């Protein structure tokens, strides 16, 4: 098995300073927000890697960097062996075609004035590919009917629309799909149908997923590996069964404690305990220490480096 996606020390900073004139008048320094902090991970071919973390932890930014929608500030991003930060432009364009992205809101990502046939076939049509019967075939593959090709997006339910988004993603025959909370906007019953479909498609077509979710229960059945993000940092990573059987990082443990309180729609009723600190002025040492029940003096001053405990890679001074 080889890694289809490889991130090494990936970092992304956003300039969140006030406009120059305000800074001068109010004597403010420049402000930087570190959305992704030194993230290294590998997604194996034909596997599902789940990135999990609370809102604002950097999940979408990582997905968007891999999809080429946001540039990295630092680090290495490799897709199918091609360095997409500093590699050869022609090869980058080639691997880009192997990758598709599915977003949370299936309505916003479908052009309301286009028939479903044109929406699905568009990525192939723009490259001059053969689109005859393509949309009809893909609609059946995602559990809709060929006759739906002549309809408009508003004629479908949320779950059906997400199926249309999946069909469009499949149209260009990708190897990798980045799924950014693809079921978070759906009712829980519909959610599991769409997840099952995505699971089946992965098996049938040998796809590789980077699956982004704020909800551990959503990725529980599908993920092969899980990475837990906190304030842009990968605090724990392990094979799915390891993570569920023996979460090592206190933050992962807290996410599990919070999980049963999710309501029927998979949204959090009670947010997990404690405030997420300000990402512009992150705490020194371990970013989790202000919320951590195990925090000691060392945690307040020394950033924990990743280390292996069995099959788990964890960034915590007290993971034992
Ligand atoms: N374009 C941007 N400009 C400034 N800050 C951003 C931008 N995009 C994301 N951020 C910030 O980066 C952090 C991570 O955001 P995001 O990747 O969307 O997290 P998630 O998907 O886990 O909710 C957040 O603090 C967010 O406000
Ligand atoms: Mg997001």
């Amino acid at each position: 098995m080889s890694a289809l996606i490889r991130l090494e020390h990936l970092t992304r900073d956003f300039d969140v300073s006030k406009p120059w004139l305000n800074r001068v008048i109010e004597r403010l320094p420049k402000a930087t927000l570190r959305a992704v902090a030194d993230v290294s991970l590998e997604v194996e071919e034909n596997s599902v890697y789940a990135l999990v973390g609370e809102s604002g932890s950097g999940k979408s930014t990582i997905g968007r960097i891999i999809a080429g929608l946001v540039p990295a500030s630092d680090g290495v991003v490799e897709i199918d062996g091609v360095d997409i930060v500093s590699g050869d432009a022609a090869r980058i364009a080639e691997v880009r075609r192997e990758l598709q992205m599915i977003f949370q809101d299936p309505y916003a990502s479908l052009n309301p004035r286009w028939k479903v046939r044109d929406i699905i076939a568009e990525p192939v049509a723009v490259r001059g590919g053969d689109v005859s019967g393509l949309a009809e075939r893909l609609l059946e593959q995602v559990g809709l009917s060929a006759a739906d090709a002549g309809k408009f997006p508003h004629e479908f339910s949320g779950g059906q629309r997400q199926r249309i988004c999946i069909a469009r993603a499949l149209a260009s025959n990708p190897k990798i799909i980045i799924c950014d909370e693809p079921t978070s906007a759906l009712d829980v019953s519909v959610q599991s149908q769409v997840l099952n479909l995505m699971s089946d498609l992965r098996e049938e077509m040998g796809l590789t997923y980077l699956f982004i979710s704020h909800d551990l229960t959503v990725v529980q059945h599908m993920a092969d590996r899980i990475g837990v993000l906190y304030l842009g940092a990968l605090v724990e990573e392990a094979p799915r069964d390891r993570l569920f059987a023996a979460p090592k990082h206190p933050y992962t443990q807290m996410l599990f404690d919070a999980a049963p309180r999710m309501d029927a729609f998979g949204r959090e009723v009670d947010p997990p305990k404690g405030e997420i600190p300000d990402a512009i002025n992150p705490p020194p040492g371990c970013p989790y220490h202000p919320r951590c029940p195990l925090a000691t003096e060392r945690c307040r001053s020394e950033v924990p480096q990743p280390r292996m405990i069995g099959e788990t890679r964890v960034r915590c001074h007290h993971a034992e």
Side-chain angles (χ1 to χ4, degrees):
M1 287 232 280
S2 61
L4 267 192
I5 301 174
R6 201 169 68 82
L7 307 180
E8 211 178 292
H9 305 300
L10 177 66
T11 296
R12 170 67 210 201
D13 292 330
F14 288 109
D15 182 354
V16 291
S17 308
K18 287 197 174 175
W20 173 79
L21 192 58
N22 295 55
R23 287 214 315 277
V24 172
I25 295 167
E26 299 171 42
R27 294 167 192 264
L28 294 170
K30 278 202 145 194
T32 308
L33 185 153
R34 181 148 290 183
V36 180
D38 191 17
V39 168
S40 301
L41 62 84
E42 293 191 354
V43 183
E44 298 289 327
E45 182 155 17
N46 204 2
S47 76
V48 179
Y49 189 108
L51 264 183
V52 177
E54 286 163 277
S55 171
S57 56
K59 307 181 294 295
S60 294
T61 303
I62 292 176
R64 294 165 68 84
I65 290 170
I66 297 167
L69 302 171
V70 169
S73 301
D74 202 4
V76 176
V77 182
E78 249 180 46
I79 301 173
D80 210 355
V82 176
D83 175 346
I84 66 157
V85 177
S86 56
D88 171 61
R91 294 212 59 200
I92 293 173
E94 222 169 276
V95 293
R96 286 254 172 277
R97 286 204 279 274
E98 298 178 3
L99 186 142
Q100 288 290 319
M101 195 157 176
I102 299 172
F103 298 93
Q104 171 170 357
D105 183 346
Y107 203 58
S109 45
L110 297 174
N111 187 331
R113 291 183 202 83
W114 284 20
K115 285 191 176 161
V116 165
R117 174 182 297 109
D118 302 319
I119 291 173
I120 293 175
E122 193 224 21
V124 177
V126 294
R127 293 207 302 272
D130 177 17
V131 298
S132 64
L134 175 69
E136 287 78 1
R137 202 168 63 244
L138 286 165
L139 282 166
E140 287 181 344
Q141 202 164 4
V142 299
L144 296 170
S145 86
D148 290 328
K151 296 182 184 166
F152 289 94
H154 70 85
E155 299 177 62
F156 297 88
S157 68
Q160 291 171 325
R161 283 180 205 140
Q162 199 53 289
R163 287 172 194 262
I164 294 169
C165 293
I166 294 168
R168 180 180 54 185
L170 295 176
S172 37
N173 212 7
K175 278 191 186 176
I176 305 166
I177 300 187
I178 297 176
C179 319
D180 192 352
E181 311 240 17
T183 63
S184 303
L186 306 176
D187 287 357
V188 80
S189 58
V190 181
Q191 233 182 67
S192 51
Q193 289 165 15
V194 172
L195 290 172
N196 285 338
L197 168 70
M198 295 184 68
S199 247
D200 293 345
L201 289 171
R202 172 170 90 91
E203 298 236 325
E204 284 163 29
M205 309 181 71
L207 295 166
T208 301
Y209 291 156
L210 179 68
F211 196 105
I212 291 169
S213 180
H214 66 275
D215 186 345
L216 270 167
T217 57
V218 165
V219 301
Q220 179 169 13
H221 299 291
M222 209 200 287
D224 297 301
R225 282 186 87 73
I226 299 178
V228 178
L229 278 177
Y230 185 76
L231 276 186
L234 198 60
V235 295
E236 177 160 5
E237 186 202 60
R240 184 256 325 263
D241 293 341
R242 270 289 85 208
L243 192 97
F244 273 81
K248 301 277 184 216
H249 198 285
Y251 176 62
T252 315
Q253 291 163 3
M254 196 269 289
L255 282 183
F256 277 112
D257 293 344
R261 294 200 301 267
M262 309 257 175
D263 71 3
F265 297 96
R267 296 191 195 96
E268 289 155 53
V269 180
D270 269 354
K273 284 188 276 296
E275 292 272 317
I276 304 177
D278 183 359
I280 301 172
N281 299 299
C286 172
Y288 188 59
H289 85 252
R291 294 168 82 183
C292 183
L294 304 179
T296 59
E297 201 43 54
R298 187 181 177 198
C299 307
R300 284 183 267 278
S301 56
E302 188 187 328
V303 178
Q305 294 305 310
R307 61 201 175 98
M308 297 301 297
I309 301 179
E311 291 178 281
T312 301
R313 184 160 54 115
V314 63
R315 278 189 175 219
C316 172
H317 295 308
H318 304 296
E320 287 86 3

